[in-house]
Amino acid sequence: MQYFSSEQINALDSGFRRNLINSLSGYKSLNLVGTKSESGITNLAPFSQIIHLGAYPAFVGILFRPHTVKRDTLENILETGFFTLNHVTPEFFKEAHWAAANWEQSEFEATGLTEEYKKDFFAPFVKGSPVQLGCKFVESQTLQVNQTVFLVGSIEHVFVHEKGLVEDGSLDLNEMETVTVSGLDDYHTGKRLARLAYPKPNKFPELI
Amino acid sequence: MQYFSSEQINALDSGFRRNLINSLSGYKSLNLVGTKSESGITNLAPFSQIIHLGAYPAFVGILFRPHTVKRDTLENILETGFFTLNHVTPEFFKEAHWAAANWEQSEFEATGLTEEYKKDFFAPFVKGSPVQLGCKFVESQTLQVNQTVFLVGSIEHVFVHEKGLVEDGSLDLNEMETVTVSGLDDYHTGKRLARLAYPKPNKFPELI
């Protein structure tokens, strides 16, 4: 095993450190976050720091980098209250990555991804995404440790492609072809090992 | 596409809803969190709500369910200040899942996973895990929206298997055989699509 102490980590070349530390948590969820400003300019950006906060009510949490520079996605959410989350597939993962570039115009225009409006929802969905969520801003706070912004949203609309919706409510992300990311730039699909039964003491988990 | 409004979500069978909402964010990181109480009893539990908070300094965030029942991992961290994060591989993902059962004794004992102590670190690592982090408690807060607890830790020790450490600092999680989870119980390895160059406007991302 290669070892790094915290002192060694802080002394690393910044690019090496950024790649390393961003890889440590494992595979991460990948969602394109769609927003629109009050003036009607759409925005799209890939995020990998999104977590499930609860099922009832349904909440998600998103972590933003410090709001010390212009951050369109965050500002649009704070201004309008609405955003979408959209899974990425192999068909457009390169465009999804490209949306993170420093574009002057809407990333939809820039990358060729298509806006989709549904259920009178203010923010644009990504056409072709197999899982699309319409979310509403609930609250946000700045983490004092490093000025990142943790935002909470409620899930108001859920669209899931039928091909991946399992009878018990779970989603088969292999069927959906949902993409996952590791580190800053390494994209993968999933390859199922197994689904396991609810864990109980004294009974080794069975496949379900 | 199958559609669910927030009203429909709240009216769903609770099991169906739990499976569905837990699947919505996509593939999630999976880490076994290792702790020990002041009295020396070790604890191990699988967590999928762990995010990267920053690289410099290196911080992670963990989301805990509401602290309304006994929660050994959280209590051990609050009491002792230390915890480990350990990636899971196909070799022991069933044991990792099993560690979530309601055991009386240490999940290490119960599941056969082996404790490993390194660098005088208080909390136990999981022997055989290709990525192991020794972390220290920094702060925690209860989210008012649903009483979940968001905890911040600093990364003090990093152990990574050399087979997956790339020259530029990133980790090749396919090489590490790191496991990812979707929903509550669906385990996968990753299947690489591509690594992409840093995104720049007007230049379609190239493979690196």
Side-chain angles (χ1 to χ4, degrees):
Chain A
M1 301 286 267
Q2 176 74 40
Y3 171 67
F4 300 89
S5 67
S6 62
E7 290 76 24
Q8 287 169 318
I9 290 168
N10 288 337
L12 288 169
D13 163 76
S14 64
F16 185 100
R17 176 177 54 234
R18 196 164 46 242
N19 280 328
L20 175 65
I21 307 301
N22 272 279
S23 299
L24 294 179
S25 59
Y27 290 103
K28 298 176 280 192
S29 64
L30 174 66
N31 284 277
L32 281 167
V33 183
T35 57
K36 189 169 72 184
S37 69
E38 284 291 2
S39 57
I41 301 169
T42 58
N43 196 83
L44 192 65
F47 277 74
S48 60
Q49 313 305 345
I50 291 180
I51 51 175
H52 162 84
L53 291 185
Y56 185 56
F59 290 120
V60 288
I62 308 183
L63 190 86
F64 291 86
R65 306 319 307 160
H67 197 184
T68 47
V69 296
K70 196 172 196 323
R71 299 220 178 270
D72 293 330
T73 301
L74 177 58
E75 288 165 21
N76 286 348
I77 297 174
L78 295 175
E79 184 187 43
T80 70
F82 299 106
F83 61 98
T84 67
L85 300 182
N86 306 265
H87 283 201
V88 175
T89 71
E91 198 176 321
F92 58 92
F93 80 100
K94 292 183 186 174
E95 284 79 356
H97 179 80
W98 206 20
N102 195 14
W103 296 99
E104 291 292 330
Q105 75 269 47
S106 162
E107 290 80 4
F108 279 101
E109 271 184 48
T111 63
L113 290 170
T114 306
E115 299 170 19
E116 191 176 38
Y117 288 92
K118 302 201 274 199
K119 300 284 178 187
D120 283 329
F121 196 70
F122 182 80
F125 294 93
V126 174
K127 193 175 167 69
S129 177
V131 177
Q132 303 166 318
L133 311 183
C135 303
K136 197 164 79 176
F137 171 80
V138 173
E139 64 174 46
S140 73
Q141 54 182 296
T142 302
L143 299 185
Q144 292 313 305
V145 293
N146 65 357
Q147 308 305 308
T148 49
V149 178
F150 188 70
L151 184 145
V152 176
S154 61
I155 301 173
E156 301 295 321
H157 303 278
V158 173
F159 299 89
V160 294
H161 201 294
E162 280 160 3
K163 68 183 175 184
L165 177 57
V166 184
E167 256 181 39
D168 66 1
S170 63
L171 300 184
D172 182 333
L173 297 188
N174 288 187
E175 272 300 307
M176 297 293 197
E177 294 191 282
T178 291
V179 172
T180 173
V181 62
S182 62
L184 292 168
D185 52 29
D186 200 0
Y187 295 91
H188 317 258
T189 48
K191 195 169 149 199
R192 175 171 288 105
L193 287 166
R195 271 195 79 182
L196 300 176
Y198 188 83
K200 292 182 178 170
N202 309 318
K203 190 174 159 119
F204 192 70
E206 285 173 353
L207 275 58
I208 59 175
Chain B
M1 300 286 267
Q2 177 74 39
Y3 170 68
F4 300 90
S5 67
S6 62
E7 291 76 25
Q8 288 170 318
I9 290 167
N10 288 338
L12 287 170
D13 163 76
S14 65
F16 186 101
R17 175 176 53 233
R18 197 164 45 241
N19 280 328
L20 175 64
I21 307 303
N22 272 279
S23 299
L24 294 180
S25 60
Y27 290 101
K28 299 175 277 192
S29 63
L30 174 64
N31 284 277
L32 282 166
V33 183
T35 57
K36 189 170 71 186
S37 69
E38 284 293 359
S39 57
I41 301 168
T42 58
N43 196 84
L44 191 65
F47 276 75
S48 61
Q49 312 306 346
I50 291 180
I51 50 175
H52 162 85
L53 291 186
Y56 185 57
F59 290 120
V60 288
I62 309 182
L63 189 85
F64 292 86
R65 305 318 307 157
H67 198 185
T68 47
V69 297
K70 197 173 194 321
R71 298 222 178 268
D72 293 329
T73 301
L74 177 59
E75 288 166 21
N76 286 348
I77 297 174
L78 295 176
E79 184 188 42
T80 70
F82 299 105
F83 61 98
T84 67
L85 300 182
N86 306 267
H87 284 201
V88 175
T89 70
E91 199 176 319
F92 58 91
F93 80 102
K94 292 182 184 174
E95 285 79 357
H97 179 81
W98 205 20
N102 194 14
W103 295 101
E104 292 292 331
Q105 75 269 47
S106 162
E107 289 81 5
F108 280 101
E109 270 183 50
T111 64
L113 289 170
T114 307
E115 299 171 21
E116 190 175 39
Y117 289 93
K118 303 201 272 200
K119 299 283 177 189
D120 284 327
F121 197 70
F122 182 80
F125 295 92
V126 174
K127 193 174 166 70
S129 177
V131 177
Q132 302 165 320
L133 311 185
C135 304
K136 196 164 78 177
F137 171 79
V138 173
E139 66 174 46
S140 74
Q141 55 181 295
T142 302
L143 299 186
Q144 292 313 305
V145 293
N146 66 356
Q147 308 305 309
T148 49
V149 178
F150 188 70
L151 185 144
V152 177
S154 60
I155 301 173
E156 301 297 320
H157 303 278
V158 173
F159 299 89
V160 294
H161 200 296
E162 280 159 6
K163 69 183 175 184
L165 177 57
V166 183
E167 255 180 40
D168 65 1
S170 62
L171 299 183
D172 182 332
L173 298 188
N174 289 187
E175 272 300 307
M176 297 295 198
E177 292 190 283
T178 291
V179 172
T180 174
V181 63
S182 62
L184 293 167
D185 51 30
D186 201 0
Y187 295 90
H188 318 257
T189 48
K191 196 168 148 199
R192 176 171 289 105
L193 287 166
R195 271 195 79 181
L196 299 176
Y198 189 83
K200 294 182 176 167
N202 309 318
K203 190 177 161 129
F204 193 68
E206 284 173 353
L207 273 59
I208 56 175

